[in-house]
Amino acid sequence: MPSTTVIILDDHPPPPDGLLTALRTMDAALTAHTLQELISGPVERLPVADVLLAPAEVPGDSVRTAVRRLRRRYGAPIVVVWTVDGFAALEEHVRLGHDYLVPPFLPALVGARLHSCSERAELGRTLREADARAELVSYEKELEIGREIQAGFLPEALPVPDGWEIDVRFRPARQVAGDFYDVFELVHRRRLAVVVADVCDKGVGAALFMALIRSLLRHTAENSGLQHLVAAGRSGGRIPVVGATPLLNAVTATNGYLTRNHLRQGYFATLFFGVLDPLTGSLVYINGGHNPPLLLSADGGRPVALEVTGPAVGVLPDCVYTLGYAQLDPGDTLFVFTDGVPEARCPEGRFLGDERMLDLLAEPPPGNGRDVLDRMDSAVREHTGTAEQHDDVTMLALHRPRAARGPHADGAGYRVVA
């Protein structure tokens, strides 16, 4: 293989015969291209070369534009300009750092000069590759740090009330994710908080924003008062709800903090935040722009979607969140998920879709929460096939078994499930 590759601009005065003769006698591969091809031609068709040989009459700015585009292909070539008597034009190129050739164009001198340029071009490529590797290592370290930060904010174990089952599946699309989930106790262990959220975007930035939102939600909820609010039941009556105050305070305070301090960053999160009474199965919740969770009846049939009760968190200052209410009877399952489930893509780019998801959950009715997650996880994996996972997949199933040991009379007993 030739040790030096040279691009000759052929829409300007051609190199003099002496220079062409010297080029042909040295170990070089010569190609001819117009300046316009180098400046505006498709990047994938640009030549790879060590040296760009141009007459001094070509404007220096035009040559620099061509070199910048060639750099995108395989590193920048060394510019060598030649002239016979245009030394004023040559001075401009020398000031730009370009090399040059002037008569006499002796083969040995031309060969030595171009070989030197070839070595400089190779050294430049080597240094750029080393920088790229170092940058990749640094990025991988940052990802690992982000992954460790995120792992520290996801629960290691879940508090599960007696008479209930909780199962979770969490598959990030990358090393770090924007999805998160949380389960924790409220109101002196009399209530159970369940959170599933999806921060817009992915990567380290989304993971850090996730950690912030999760901390704000949990801290505010755990430190709110015990004032009783009421929610509307299915029959239209008013039902006292213990735990609604921490719920409202957590979501509204988090939204207020984010819109006051981080609106310019452009991050926001959709979330479902439910507070369960383990004794009765009543659930009060806020759905901030999130995929509506699905309530699966023990008797089967079409799942019931829990309505959205407000916008995503971190978008609108001073917005109002209302309370939603649901009832989980023995045998029922609440399926909470992020959009990575219905928006899972097959190799042809089609989504799994909400309708397909509803069909999968309708018949036959799953026996418990784990059956729900197994069925949906298998469906997502089968639909995705060999395609890349485009979004984080998070699923949580809250199940109330039919024949379960009842909670303690003085409050819900809990066990911790890793």
Side-chain angles (χ1 to χ4, degrees):
M1 293 180 62
S3 60
T4 304
T5 53
V6 181
I7 299 173
I8 299 175
L9 294 183
D10 67 351
D11 55 351
H12 291 277
D17 291 340
L19 180 53
L20 285 175
T21 300
L23 292 171
R24 295 189 181 106
T25 58
M26 63 177 288
D27 183 20
L30 309 178
T31 59
H33 295 272
T34 66
L35 185 61
Q36 191 62 32
E37 288 174 342
L38 301 182
I39 291 177
S40 59
V43 174
E44 63 274 10
R45 295 184 182 179
L46 293 177
V48 175
D50 301 317
V51 176
L52 174 60
L53 186 64
E57 289 80 6
V58 178
D61 289 342
S62 298
V63 174
R64 294 180 71 179
T65 300
V67 168
R68 280 195 295 269
R69 297 202 76 234
L70 289 168
R71 182 183 289 114
R72 297 168 59 185
R73 182 79 166 98
Y74 186 63
I78 303 299
V79 177
V80 179
V81 295
W82 60 267
T83 189
V84 175
D85 52 14
F87 295 104
L90 180 63
E91 183 179 6
E92 176 195 357
H93 288 278
V94 172
R95 288 178 176 174
L96 292 174
H98 299 163
D99 213 323
Y100 63 92
L101 287 169
V102 294
F105 300 116
L106 302 177
L109 296 178
V110 172
R113 178 65 60 83
L114 295 189
H115 279 306
S116 174
C117 292
S118 176
E119 291 175 355
R120 287 163 52 198
E122 180 62 30
L123 177 60
R125 286 192 290 266
T126 301
L127 292 175
R128 279 190 292 274
E129 290 172 359
D131 288 343
R133 285 194 294 270
E135 185 176 350
L136 178 60
V137 169
S138 176
Y139 179 66
E140 289 175 345
K141 287 182 179 178
E142 289 184 2
L143 280 180
E144 181 62 22
I145 292 171
R147 189 194 66 78
E148 292 176 358
I149 291 173
Q150 184 172 56
F153 280 90
L154 294 175
E156 295 182 3
L158 305 179
V160 181
D162 288 343
W164 293 84
E165 297 174 1
I166 300 176
D167 294 281
V168 177
R169 300 289 167 83
F170 178 69
R171 285 195 288 115
R174 302 180 184 176
Q175 284 183 279
V176 289
D179 284 8
F180 73 94
Y181 65 93
D182 201 3
V183 179
F184 55 96
E185 299 162 359
L186 287 175
V187 195
H188 305 302
R189 305 187 70 198
R190 295 163 56 193
R191 297 293 182 267
L192 186 73
V194 177
V195 181
V196 174
D198 182 1
V199 176
C200 71
D201 205 2
K202 293 177 278 293
V204 175
L208 294 175
F209 201 71
M210 174 278 290
L212 172 63
I213 293 178
R214 187 262 191 187
S215 298
L216 290 169
L217 288 172
R218 179 182 271 229
H219 177 78
T220 307
E222 291 179 334
N223 290 278
S224 291
L226 303 183
Q227 177 183 354
H228 293 194
L229 297 182
V230 294
R234 289 178 179 173
S235 62
R238 304 293 283 176
I239 301 172
V241 180
V242 176
T245 296
L247 169 63
L248 276 171
N249 287 348
V251 176
T252 56
T254 299
N255 181 73
Y257 178 87
L258 296 178
T259 53
R260 285 194 308 271
N261 298 285
H262 297 285
L263 203 57
R264 289 192 304 173
Q265 277 79 19
Y267 285 106
F268 62 89
T270 66
L271 66 84
F272 173 84
F273 190 151
V275 176
L276 173 72
D277 181 351
L279 290 173
T280 65
S282 66
L283 180 81
V284 61
Y285 67 87
I286 288 176
N287 183 344
H290 198 73
N291 299 80
L294 300 173
L295 182 57
L296 313 180
S297 170
D299 300 325
R302 201 72 169 170
V304 176
L306 303 191
E307 63 185 7
V308 175
T309 63
V313 173
V315 178
L316 300 175
D318 303 320
C319 64
V320 176
Y321 293 91
T322 58
L323 296 176
Y325 173 79
Q327 176 66 38
L328 275 73
D329 295 321
D332 290 353
T333 302
L334 182 66
F335 176 55
V336 192
F337 58 95
T338 58
D339 57 10
V341 178
E343 294 181 7
R345 300 182 190 178
C346 69
E348 291 75 32
R350 295 189 305 275
F351 289 155
L352 176 68
D354 293 316
E355 288 302 315
R356 173 60 178 155
M357 186 175 65
L358 291 171
D359 291 341
L360 287 166
L361 295 172
E363 298 291 346
N368 55 40
R370 183 167 297 179
D371 290 345
V372 172
L373 299 191
D374 286 343
R375 184 179 299 183
M376 291 310 306
D377 196 34
S378 296
V380 169
R381 291 179 184 274
E382 181 179 349
H383 181 79
T384 303
T386 59
E388 178 185 0
Q389 182 181 337
H390 289 275
D391 201 358
D392 309 322
V393 172
T394 303
M395 298 181 287
L396 182 147
L398 176 64
H399 178 67
R400 187 180 188 183
R402 282 182 184 272
R405 180 170 58 87
H408 302 303
D410 59 347
Y414 284 82
R415 65 189 185 279
V416 176
V417 178

